Amino acid sequence: MTKTGFVIANLFRKKTRTTLTLLSIIVAFVLFGLLQSLNHIFDAGADFIGATRLMTQARVSFTQPLPLSMLPKIESVPGIARVAHMQWFGGVWQENTQLFVFAVDPQRQHDVYPEWVMPEAQWKAFATTRTAMVAGRQIADQYGWKVGQKIPISSQIYPQKNGSKAWAFDLVGIYDGKDADWQKQTNTVFINHDYFDEANQFGAGRTNFFALKLAKGASAEAVSHAVDAMSENSPDETKTQTEKDFNVGFIKQIGDIGMIVRWILFAVFFTLLLVVGNTMAQSVRERVPELAVLKTLGFSDGSVLGFVLAEAVALCLIGGLIGMSLATLLGAMVEKGSGGQFALNVTPWVWMTGLIAIALMSLAVGLLPALRARRLKIVDALAGR
């Protein structure tokens, strides 16, 4: 038997224990790969390569409104073909079901987002009906909404002028995506901004952000800088970024994602070290007489140490590589499912970090049992002392 075969045979002598430990390592590294990729997204800088739309919001936060009077100025910037605007509504369906609801200008929304497809008659009804709303196919199917219904939606943020937060809208259209990727994103409701602007208690003429459709051949980075320069040192300074970066920033509003990720990974790996360390320590305790026999047969202390340490490395390496591979596959599925808007890529940088984590964990769980095996005295071990 080769030395490698000897290590593998010892590793799987207790198949159930080893399998369960491997599963723990695999799950831990799946989480590690995905969470590190998530953290990398939030830490990454702006990426304007290949962008066809930009999003302009207030520099401080998208929750801070911007004046609608900025729209014609933004639309006059060279390289911008059309501008839409969106106001976060804070919608709630029935008692406590959160909805993604935005107040928009129907025609501008249609022009800037050709990926949303709907019969022209429904687009016209959206533009001409004061209390109109359109819903994505996914959300309409989920709640059984049909065109022609009156849909009651409450707002967590905007009461009407009479003080009521209960609004009612006429569902005049159901839009879908132009392809399979966009069809997976049809979970948003759009309401007519003119009606919202007139009826809400907090006043008119404001919006949360602008969507900028770039002209063909325009430089996204140059347009971004030009738009932000227009409001520099004014009360309404802006921050312009790609849709992808905007979506990431939208998620970051819930808190410090990086810190959350780090604490989750700390808890996962602390628990994993205890589990794998206990497995290795127990494995060495069970084989003390066998290790003594190896020394009797002429294997040096260093060789015995190497065998035990190799078991720890093999265990962590197999589980870690499988876990990182699964994380890569799941990340690609998330990216495809989000239409590329949420690129959860397990990059080479994440893989390199994962390999370092595998090496450190192997040493952490294998070094103490290996040193114990190295220090074994043949007589004491064979005597069971």
Side-chain angles (χ1 to χ4, degrees):
M1 178 180 285
T2 63
K3 292 181 178 179
T4 302
F6 179 71
V7 169
I8 298 298
N10 279 325
L11 186 61
F12 286 94
R13 62 189 296 156
K14 298 285 186 180
K15 293 183 175 61
T16 301
R17 182 174 66 196
T18 301
T19 301
L20 292 175
T21 305
L22 269 176
L23 287 175
S24 299
I25 298 172
I26 290 170
V27 171
F29 275 93
V30 168
L31 287 172
F32 176 85
L34 293 176
L35 291 176
Q36 282 290 75
S37 300
L38 184 66
N39 205 23
H40 186 61
I41 289 175
F42 290 126
D43 290 339
D47 180 13
F48 292 100
I49 299 174
T52 58
R53 271 190 298 264
L54 300 176
M55 307 297 290
T56 297
Q57 65 173 63
R59 180 170 292 278
V60 176
S61 168
F62 87 93
T63 58
Q64 179 179 328
L66 292 170
L68 271 176
S69 59
M70 296 178 67
L71 191 149
K73 298 177 183 177
I74 293 174
E75 204 162 39
S76 67
V77 173
I80 296 179
R82 188 69 160 151
V83 178
H85 56 85
M86 287 181 262
Q87 175 79 47
W88 174 250
F89 181 73
V92 177
W93 163 247
Q94 294 180 339
E95 289 190 9
N96 200 30
T97 302
Q98 306 294 318
L99 298 177
F100 288 100
V101 182
F102 293 94
V104 303
D105 178 289
Q107 187 58 55
R108 288 182 176 277
Q109 192 74 7
H110 187 22
D111 294 342
V112 172
Y113 286 91
E115 294 86 355
W116 302 135
V117 294
M118 191 168 64
E120 284 301 321
Q122 294 183 3
W123 279 113
K124 185 176 180 181
F126 186 29
T128 56
T129 304
R130 183 170 176 270
T131 57
M133 66 172 267
V134 296
R137 175 66 60 187
Q138 279 188 343
I139 199 166
D141 290 345
Q142 181 178 354
Y143 299 122
W145 294 348
K146 304 294 182 184
V147 172
Q149 278 185 278
K150 178 77 77 172
I151 307 294
I153 298 178
S154 299
S155 174
Q156 293 178 321
I157 305 172
Y158 296 101
Q160 298 183 63
K161 289 182 177 178
N162 62 10
S164 172
K165 288 189 176 181
W167 296 66
F169 301 97
D170 296 298
L171 184 62
V172 299
I174 296 175
Y175 68 88
D176 213 334
K178 68 172 185 177
D179 54 31
D181 288 337
W182 279 91
Q183 288 164 9
K184 293 175 183 176
Q185 302 179 58
T186 54
N187 58 352
T188 303
V189 172
F190 299 116
I191 61 175
N192 193 314
H193 185 271
D194 286 345
Y195 170 54
F196 165 79
D197 214 33
E198 294 169 5
N200 87 83
Q201 194 179 83
F202 295 154
R206 309 289 285 180
T207 191
N208 282 128
F209 45 88
F210 298 97
L212 285 52
K213 183 179 180 181
L214 297 177
K216 188 175 180 180
S219 167
E221 188 170 5
V223 169
S224 171
H225 291 158
V227 170
D228 291 341
M230 292 171 57
S231 60
E232 195 171 359
N233 297 321
S234 76
D236 297 301
E237 286 192 303
T238 61
K239 176 183 178 181
T240 303
Q241 56 196 328
T242 64
E243 272 188 297
K244 183 184 295 184
D245 293 329
F246 175 82
N247 291 337
V248 169
F250 189 89
I251 296 172
K252 287 181 74 172
Q253 297 293 324
I254 66 174
D256 188 343
I257 301 296
M259 186 181 69
I260 294 171
V261 166
R262 285 190 291 272
W263 276 108
I264 292 174
L265 289 176
F266 174 79
V268 167
F269 276 91
F270 180 75
T271 306
L272 186 65
L273 284 174
L274 296 179
V275 171
V276 182
N278 180 67
T279 297
M280 289 303 304
Q282 189 174 349
S283 176
V284 170
R285 281 197 303 270
E286 292 171 351
R287 289 164 29 220
V288 164
E290 296 175 25
L291 295 172
V293 170
L294 284 178
K295 292 189 176 186
T296 303
L297 293 174
F299 285 91
S300 66
D301 290 343
S303 296
V304 173
L305 180 145
F307 283 138
V308 175
L309 198 55
E311 287 180 37
V313 172
L315 184 65
C316 295
L317 188 62
I318 293 170
L321 291 178
I322 294 174
M324 292 295 293
S325 299
L326 288 174
T328 303
L329 179 63
L330 290 172
M333 292 171 63
V334 169
E335 181 178 10
K336 185 177 180 181
S338 66
Q341 293 299 310
F342 198 66
L344 198 63
N345 294 324
V346 182
T347 61
W349 176 86
V350 176
W351 266 95
M352 182 177 69
T353 308
L355 292 174
I356 293 172
I358 290 171
L360 292 175
M361 190 174 73
S362 300
L363 286 174
V365 302
L367 190 57
L368 289 178
L371 289 173
R372 182 188 176 192
R374 182 181 183 278
R375 290 194 299 265
L376 280 176
K377 301 298 181 184
I378 296 174
V379 174
D380 292 340
L382 292 176
R385 295 197 292 269

